[in-house]
Amino acid sequence: MNHRPNSGTTTRTDPEHGTATGPSPLGIYLNDHLAGATAGVERARHLAKASRGTALSPAVDLLATEIAQDREILKELMRRLDVPVRRYKICAGWLLERAGRLKSNGRVVRRSPLSTTVELEALRMGVTGKLAVWQTLRRLSDTEDRLDPRLCDDLLERAERQLQTLEELHLQQTTVTFTFPTRERTGTGAGS
């Protein structure tokens, strides 16, 4: 019995799955994650550019580089699995990320600290999704010889580290974003 997932758009005659036409569930799944990865790369690059000269810059620059590398690795794994890339999904991911930048965060001219907080949260959600796809591929690597289990393990470890970094950056940024101004005491009111 063949355990290789069929991920193209041709007719499937795999005895395990029967005959069907159209994209396989794995092909749809990986293309959806590729769309998300496209949005994640754009978001990470935008945040890296906006963070230049701040305390976040070194960590965000590294994250942006790794997120772009992870997207390329996903494309390579799709190629190995004979999953065709659906360009319209890549375009949709890119457009959704751009549309997300239109959200007002309380300032019109200058960048709001809230923008950085929200972007870090968006990246954290994206890395959580990426962790799920690496977990899925790792599980498939037990029966699919086109997937390298060690590569999947490395990708899982890197995604977990990225998630930890984003959580730390988010905690730092929330302190900056939500610091309440101190009120001067006027000597009036209760207790004076």
Side-chain angles (χ1 to χ4, degrees), residues 140-191:
L140 294 176
S141 73
D142 290 337
T143 56
E144 174 52 69
D145 62 357
R146 293 176 290 179
L147 293 171
D148 180 359
R150 289 173 305 206
L151 174 62
C152 294
D153 288 339
D154 291 345
L155 293 168
L156 279 165
E157 183 179 311
R158 181 152 92 166
E160 289 167 354
R161 184 178 43 74
Q162 290 169 351
L163 198 53
Q164 181 64 38
T165 298
L166 284 164
E167 288 171 2
E168 291 168 6
L169 293 174
H170 183 261
L171 286 174
Q172 291 173 24
Q173 186 61 31
T174 55
T175 302
V176 171
T177 303
F178 303 114
T179 299
F180 296 103
T182 57
R183 295 183 184 172
E184 292 185 27
R185 299 186 185 242
T186 59
T188 60

Side-chain angles (χ1 to χ4, degrees), residues 5-81:
N6 181 335
S7 46
T9 58
T10 58
T11 302
R12 236 186 345 220
T13 56
D14 179 346
E16 188 176 340
H17 297 101
T19 301
T21 58
S24 72
L26 183 62
I28 295 167
Y29 178 76
L30 293 177
N31 270 286
D32 287 351
H33 274 281
L34 182 59
T38 300
V41 167
E42 291 300 314
R43 178 63 49 140
R45 286 178 179 159
H46 178 72
L47 182 57
K49 184 178 177 183
S51 299
R52 287 205 178 102
T54 71
L56 300 178
S57 185
V60 172
D61 284 344
L62 178 60
L63 281 168
T65 299
E66 288 182 352
I67 289 169
Q69 291 169 348
D70 291 344
R71 180 181 179 274
E72 292 306 310
I73 291 169
L74 177 57
K75 286 171 56 179
E76 172 58 23
L77 292 174
M78 289 171 69
R79 188 192 63 71
R80 286 184 197 172
L81 293 169

Side-chain angles (χ1 to χ4, degrees), residues 59-134:
V60 172
D61 284 344
L62 178 60
L63 281 168
T65 299
E66 288 182 352
I67 289 169
Q69 291 169 348
D70 291 344
R71 180 181 179 274
E72 292 306 310
I73 291 169
L74 177 57
K75 286 171 56 179
E76 172 58 23
L77 292 174
M78 289 171 69
R79 188 192 63 71
R80 286 184 197 172
L81 293 169
D82 300 318
V83 173
V85 170
R86 302 291 175 217
R87 300 272 178 228
Y88 71 92
K89 287 195 177 190
I90 292 175
C91 291
W94 185 86
L95 288 170
L96 284 172
E97 190 283 327
R98 294 295 171 136
R101 293 184 195 181
L102 299 176
K103 181 189 175 306
S104 171
N105 287 322
R107 293 194 183 160
V108 177
V109 179
R110 294 181 318 161
R111 182 173 169 85
S112 167
L114 182 57
S115 296
T116 300
T117 302
V118 171
E119 289 173 357
L120 287 167
E121 290 174 358
L123 284 175
R124 193 165 60 176
M125 287 188 292
V127 171
T128 300
K130 177 172 58 179
L131 187 61
V133 78
W134 296 152

